[in-house]
Amino acid sequence: MSLLEREVSGVAMTPDNIRTRRLPLVANLGTAVAAIVVAAAVVLGLDLGNWVLVAVLAVVFYLIGISIVAGRVEGRRAARDRMWKSLIYSACVLAILPLASVVWTLVSKGASRLDGDFFGTSMNNIGARDPNGGAYHAIIGTLEQVGIATLLAVPLGVLGAIYLVEYGKGRFALTVRFFVDVMTGIPSIVAGLFVLSFWVLIVSPWFNDGQPRFSGFAASLALTVLMLPTIVRSTEEMLRLVPGPLREGSYALGVPQWKTIVRIVLPTALPGIVTGIMLAVARAAGETAPVLLVAGGAAAINFDPFAGNQSSLALFVYQQAGDASRYAPARAWTAALTLVALVLILTVAAKLLARRNRLSR
Amino acid sequence: MGDYPSRSENATAGDLGVTASRTRAAGSGVSPSSYDEPPIGGGGALPKKARFSMESGFRGLSVSAGAMVLVIIVAIAIFLISKAAPAIGKDTENFLTYKQWFPNEADPKFGIAALAFGTLLTSVIALIVAVPISLGIALFLSHYAPKRLATPLGFIIDLLAAVPSVVFGLWGRDVFQQPVADFSEWLNKYFSWIPIFGGDGPYGQSIMLGGLVLAIMVLPIVTSLSREVFQQTPGMNEEAALALGATKWEMVRTAVLPYGKPGVIASVMLGLGRALGETIALALTLGLVFNISFNLIEVGGNSVAANIATTFGEANETGRGALIASGLVLFAITLVVNMGARAIIYRRREFRDSAA
């Protein structure tokens, strides 16, 4: 209580005590240690729970303790400031924990089947008792489906963004812009159901003697629906960053608007556009639900995206997760590791590209 | 991304930061398409505007690409309705209030009451858990962390958003399930007098597990959007608060939070939209039981999207129609939620260019 006494007695306006009193670091650490000790004593003494509860209670006790101690030394407002600061820091720690756990599990469980067999074979004729089997067919499926979806979505998305930035004026452009934003929120399963009811059940029977047919191409269509708004938004943002004087210079030389867009605006914004496309591709590669609904999933290798069931990496993970075989979890985790590696490489590459982009901030 | 100038570094008074550079949008100059007829006078020697040219062709192409978005949204509604309507017609129970799902029988009986309830409950739990933590991280990244820490941490949070949902589902089922089951048992031991923690097991694949996994997935979305909003707080407001003697938290509470409120609401609604539509993670972590119960910890729970993924395999024609009908309901709900979120964002013009 010596701190308190000093506060009461010290009133002389010397340069030493005219500034607000700060809580010494020792007091802060002491509170933390005391909180942990008290929490451990309460929890383990009364046998209420395990170390997780100790940690939670320790944080609570620390918050109470620090606001009392700091309240005595620094005043009520500073105490509240400290309490919120601690809360904000602990929120951050809390969020890092699950991410670390996911990464650790991915690496530790996924490494067990990370062999040539996994990347070289399919699940064809692999029974419940076979430890081998791989994701070759699923990797083929992912690459083909995402590739076709990119081919469909990129021209459409970039042209849509060009409309919004260069030509769009008035109500219609505002409506389009609004619904592009709304479309980013469409659940992937709804996109899958749309392609199911439109392509698989209505259009595909025309090519297949009246029988509805699953195909990788249908999955591509669903992924296109999901990628389109992302590409439009990111491209639009990049096109807006292209300086107006570049366009005006081009117009002044008598270049028509379409040529200005194709030859001046697009090349200037290209790195940013590519970044957006890569992020959209990464998102599409991880989608499971649409592929499950319209590509059907398959155990064998199928190179033809237009006929017959296909699998994809994400779908492979889901199907192996539901498989009763004792070898299935290892396959699921290795496929998940492959998928995350693919997605993260794309994402990180896109972000590094964005960092080198002179147009963006 | 993530290289935002921090407020204190370029803090000239009245500095509007990102916003100022955005007000002068590109293309603000006069473009050839911004007038319909050539200006009068001085243009005598100019060639006449051709009726059909590359220009009008390119323009038409881009307009139709823009219109494609509207076409797709309308097409989604039309095709879902066209397949859902016959199935609902064959339903012998009330589609909106019946709790079970037997669409493949001779007399189909199905309703989305239990599914819609599960969807809402898991999403609400996810938001209750995720929103305070996300706002904490967003504030940490925008105002508390040193820049050297904030940039990589923001990068990691963005990466978290890119991890596919099936991976979170697998993690939730294989790794997270046991801790949650232990936690449920503990809750049940001491708090069984609260109905939501009642029951006598088994624990594990419960609403709580699904809700917590959803929370982890919603977190990066809410965080990254609200961080951007917090970072756009005018430096002047913050400095004025500090100059009046406010502590850091008081500055955040009086300057940053009120300014960011619409953006935060919008980000929460976008997170809600994602949580409502989440499929695979919930299909792997919920108990897939058709009932309406507020019990969070017992094995149970189901959602519209998870039900589509898990029962699609054995569905016949009516079954597919029934699943499409439930998807239509989901589409309508998420459309409303997203339109609400976007409307809020659009009201604040500042957020328009950054809200991804």
Side-chain angles (χ1 to χ4, degrees):
Chain A
M1 282 300 113
S2 62
L3 292 171
L4 183 66
E5 284 161 20
R6 264 200 282 136
E7 193 181 26
V8 174
S9 62
V11 282
M13 285 294 196
T14 62
D16 276 338
N17 64 7
I18 196 168
R19 45 182 80 168
T20 49
R21 219 183 278 278
R22 302 288 295 168
L23 190 68
L25 186 66
V26 181
N28 204 343
L29 288 178
T31 316
V33 172
I36 293 172
V37 170
V38 171
V42 167
V43 172
L44 301 179
L46 298 175
D47 196 23
L48 288 175
N50 56 5
W51 58 271
V52 179
L53 187 64
V54 174
V56 173
L57 269 189
V59 171
V60 174
F61 286 157
Y62 173 75
L63 287 175
I64 298 173
I66 199 74
S67 45
I68 293 174
V69 173
R72 285 282 172 94
V73 178
E74 298 176 331
R76 197 169 48 81
R77 288 171 53 216
R80 188 168 295 170
D81 185 48
R82 273 187 190 277
M83 197 185 80
W84 279 104
K85 189 177 173 183
S86 320
L87 271 178
I88 284 170
Y89 274 72
S90 45
C92 216
V93 174
L94 200 61
I96 295 299
L97 287 179
L99 175 70
S101 169
V102 171
V103 171
W104 168 246
T105 322
L106 265 177
V107 173
S108 63
K109 289 201 181 190
S112 63
R113 278 298 318 276
L114 211 57
D115 45 34
D117 200 32
F118 185 79
F119 295 103
T121 57
S122 72
M123 288 299 290
N124 207 11
N125 291 328
I126 299 292
R129 289 164 188 278
D130 296 327
N132 49 347
Y136 182 62
H137 62 302
I139 296 171
I140 296 290
T142 292
L143 292 181
E144 284 187 354
Q145 290 154 18
V146 174
I148 295 175
T150 311
L151 287 183
L152 291 174
V154 166
L156 211 54
V158 171
L159 275 174
I162 287 175
Y163 165 70
L164 287 178
V165 176
E166 307 285 339
Y167 294 108
K169 284 189 184 62
R171 261 197 127 64
F172 184 68
L174 272 181
T175 317
V176 169
R177 202 162 190 283
F178 181 75
F179 277 100
V180 167
D181 279 345
V182 169
M183 204 173 156
T184 49
I186 289 182
S188 58
I189 190 115
V190 170
L193 286 175
F194 162 59
V195 174
L196 174 75
S197 52
F198 159 66
W199 185 265
V200 176
L201 296 181
I202 294 180
V203 178
S204 78
W206 297 345
F207 307 110
N208 194 33
D209 306 328
Q211 288 297 313
R213 178 165 66 175
F214 291 130
S215 65
F217 180 68
S220 307
L221 285 180
L223 295 182
T224 306
V225 172
L226 294 171
M227 284 170 76
L228 183 63
T230 328
I231 293 181
V232 173
R233 279 303 272 122
S234 57
T235 308
E236 186 198 352
E237 220 159 283
M238 281 305 135
L239 291 182
R240 275 189 203 286
L241 290 178
V242 176
L246 270 185
R247 295 184 177 85
E248 284 158 17
S250 173
Y251 298 149
L253 292 171
V255 181
Q257 194 176 6
W258 71 271
K259 210 167 204 172
T260 306
I261 294 168
V262 174
R263 301 290 291 274
I264 308 287
V265 178
L266 282 184
T268 315
L270 193 64
I273 296 175
V274 173
T275 300
I277 291 171
M278 284 164 82
L279 288 177
V281 168
R283 185 189 160 191
E287 290 292 354
T288 316
V291 186
L292 171 73
L293 292 188
V294 300
I301 300 166
N302 177 12
F303 280 105
D304 185 359
F306 296 97
N309 289 17
Q310 251 190 348
S311 190
S312 84
L313 260 179
L315 182 57
F316 181 83
V317 175
Y318 177 64
Q319 286 178 334
Q320 291 300 315
D323 199 308
S325 162
R326 55 188 277 242
Y327 301 107
R331 287 194 285 259
W333 278 106
T334 307
L337 180 63
T338 316
L339 181 61
V340 168
L342 181 76
V343 168
L344 286 196
I345 287 171
L346 272 173
T347 313
V348 171
K351 303 239 160 174
L352 290 183
L353 193 67
R355 197 162 287 188
R356 301 185 56 154
N357 184 3
R358 276 174 296 127
L359 276 181
S360 67
R361 26 205 170 184
Chain B
M1 322 247 155
D3 291 344
Y4 306 101
S6 96
R7 250 151 283 35
S8 47
E9 276 175 16
N10 60 350
T12 52
D15 180 86
L16 290 172
V18 188
T19 326
S21 63
R22 287 243 170 89
T23 49
R24 202 173 60 80
S28 52
V30 180
S31 67
S33 72
S34 55
Y35 49 82
D36 295 327
E37 295 182 13
I40 302 164
L46 288 176
K48 236 183 131 190
K49 211 174 171 183
R51 191 165 275 271
F52 296 105
S53 61
M54 274 304 281
E55 181 58 50
S56 58
F58 190 76
R59 187 187 180 128
L61 215 59
S62 78
V63 172
S64 49
M68 196 65 195
V69 172
L70 300 182
V71 171
I72 288 177
I73 290 199
V74 173
I76 290 177
I78 291 175
F79 281 104
L80 289 190
I81 290 172
S82 78
K83 287 289 167 189
I88 293 181
K90 283 183 198 153
D91 193 357
T92 52
E93 297 280 346
N94 188 328
F95 178 67
L96 293 178
T97 57
Y98 190 61
K99 285 191 267 183
Q100 296 294 320
W101 196 264
F102 301 115
N104 304 318
E105 323 264 302
D107 52 336
K109 288 187 260 187
F110 55 91
I112 57 158
L115 296 174
F117 175 81
T119 304
L120 284 179
L121 189 57
T122 45
S123 305
V124 166
I125 290 175
L127 285 188
I128 289 176
V129 175
V131 168
I133 298 178
S134 325
L135 293 187
I137 305 170
L139 281 177
F140 180 77
L141 293 177
S142 66
H143 285 85
Y144 280 84
K147 199 186 171 208
R148 197 177 289 176
L149 184 64
T151 310
L153 208 58
F155 192 72
I156 290 177
I157 298 282
D158 283 350
L159 286 189
L160 192 61
V163 173
S165 59
V166 67
V167 176
F168 281 111
L170 192 63
W171 175 80
R173 204 196 57 169
D174 282 6
V175 179
F176 201 40
Q177 188 178 344
Q178 193 52 46
V180 169
D182 295 343
F183 181 52
S184 305
E185 213 174 322
W186 182 83
L187 279 174
N188 186 254
K189 191 170 161 193
Y190 293 99
F191 298 99
S192 57
W193 44 274
I194 307 176
I196 55 173
F197 299 134
D200 22 50
Y203 312 110
Q205 298 198 314
S206 56
I207 293 264
M208 181 146 81
L209 179 64
L212 288 179
V213 170
L214 263 193
I216 295 170
M217 301 178 58
V218 169
L219 199 113
I221 298 174
V222 182
T223 303
S224 62
L225 191 52
S226 32
R227 180 187 62 164
E228 290 211 1
V229 174
F230 290 152
Q231 271 170 337
Q232 287 175 9
T233 315
M236 257 200 331
N237 295 12
E238 295 176 5
E239 281 152 19
L242 291 174
L244 287 172
T247 60
K248 186 148 200 178
W249 166 248
E250 284 165 344
M251 181 272 281
V252 166
R253 202 179 45 124
T254 54
V256 179
L257 291 184
Y259 181 83
K261 196 172 158 197
V264 169
I265 293 174
S267 72
V268 169
M269 289 179 77
L270 288 182
L272 178 64
R274 166 112 191 232
L276 289 172
E278 183 44 53
T279 311
I280 297 297
L282 286 181
L284 286 171
T285 53
L286 288 181
L288 306 175
V289 175
F290 290 90
N291 66 345
I292 294 185
S293 155
F294 278 101
N295 190 315
L296 301 186
I297 59 173
E298 277 190 309
V299 167
N302 208 338
S303 86
V304 176
N307 180 56
I308 296 173
T310 48
T311 61
F312 178 74
E314 62 251 27
N316 60 15
E317 199 188 332
T318 316
R320 278 181 195 160
L323 292 178
I324 290 174
S326 69
L328 183 65
V329 174
L330 187 65
F331 175 62
I333 295 174
T334 48
L335 207 61
V336 169
V337 169
N338 273 298
M339 284 169 75
R342 294 302 175 182
I344 294 174
I345 294 176
Y346 273 44
R347 214 179 295 161
R348 293 287 290 264
R349 218 191 155 278
E350 296 96 307
F351 304 141
R352 243 160 83 166
D353 291 328
S354 63

